[in-house]
Amino acid sequence: KNTGQAFATVADGASELARQGLSAQETVKRLNAALILTRVSGLDAQGSVNALTAAINGFTSAGLTAEQIVNKLVAVDTAFAVSAKDLAEAFSRAGSTAEDAGVSFDELLGLVTAVQQTTARGGAVIGNALKSIFSRLSRGTVIEDLQALGVEIDASQTGVQKLQALSAALAKISDPTQANAIKELAGGVYQINVVSAV
């Protein structure tokens, strides 16, 4: 009644949350948030529960509640050309890798939004691309190769700082071959457009 969902939808979402071993009180809170996300995003109940679970578990250091996560997704959905569904799918694929790279929840929201608006790729594709980029940028050999190409990057930087270092280096380079080499090192052949968009 509170979320405008059918009983069967509520039961599906509750079933998914029950498998996680949450208390009854926490199940009700997350279920309410997940069903609001279902209504706004077009995800089914199971997809919303999974997306919220991935965001909560992927960004444990942020200490966000399910309600706060849904509010952030909906606020971005409303203000920019990206859907809550795409955001949720991207977070379910890149969340924990992004947190490992020192990227905050809000920073990842911004990155996904920027890439979506520039490339019009889906959330799942963007999430997988960002996961690959953050993983590549944490490798010592990739960092060394980027340094050799003039990128001021090091292992102590967060994921966003590394992306900013790439951007600063690319802004100074006039040779398209060198620019493409930097982008390919950062994202691999298949993620060059995402690196450019970020």
Side-chain angles (χ1 to χ4, degrees), residues 80-83 86-87 109-123 125-126 130 183 191-198:
F80 299 97
V82 61
S83 70
D86 283 326
L87 292 168
L109 267 178
L111 292 172
V112 172
T113 301
V115 173
Q116 171 66 30
Q117 289 191 142
T118 305
T119 67
R121 305 296 300 268
V125 172
I126 293 169
L130 289 173
K183 291 176 189 177
Q191 312 306 341
I192 287 178
N193 65 335
V194 175
V195 173
S196 296
V198 170

Side-chain angles (χ1 to χ4, degrees), residues 76-164:
V76 173
D77 177 311
T78 305
F80 299 97
V82 61
S83 70
K85 180 179 180 181
D86 283 326
L87 292 168
E89 288 176 347
F91 268 76
S92 67
R93 285 164 174 80
S96 60
T97 306
E99 184 174 52
D100 289 346
V103 177
S104 73
F105 187 91
D106 290 344
E107 287 171 333
L108 186 57
L109 267 178
L111 292 172
V112 172
T113 301
V115 173
Q116 171 66 30
Q117 289 191 142
T118 305
T119 67
R121 305 296 300 268
V125 172
I126 293 169
N128 285 332
L130 289 173
K131 180 174 63 176
S132 296
I133 291 165
F134 291 136
S135 295
R136 290 178 71 87
L137 291 177
S138 67
R139 295 181 193 153
T141 55
V142 171
I143 290 172
E144 290 169 8
D145 291 344
L146 287 168
Q147 288 171 338
L149 289 170
V151 180
E152 294 179 20
I153 188 171
D154 64 64
S156 68
Q157 294 172 319
T158 67
V160 171
Q161 290 169 332
K162 289 175 182 174
L163 292 171
Q164 289 169 335

Side-chain angles (χ1 to χ4, degrees), residues 1-20:
K1 188 175 177 182
N2 290 341
T3 61
Q5 299 293 328
F7 183 80
T9 304
V10 174
D12 287 344
S15 171
E16 283 300 312
L17 287 167
R19 293 180 199 174
Q20 297 177 21

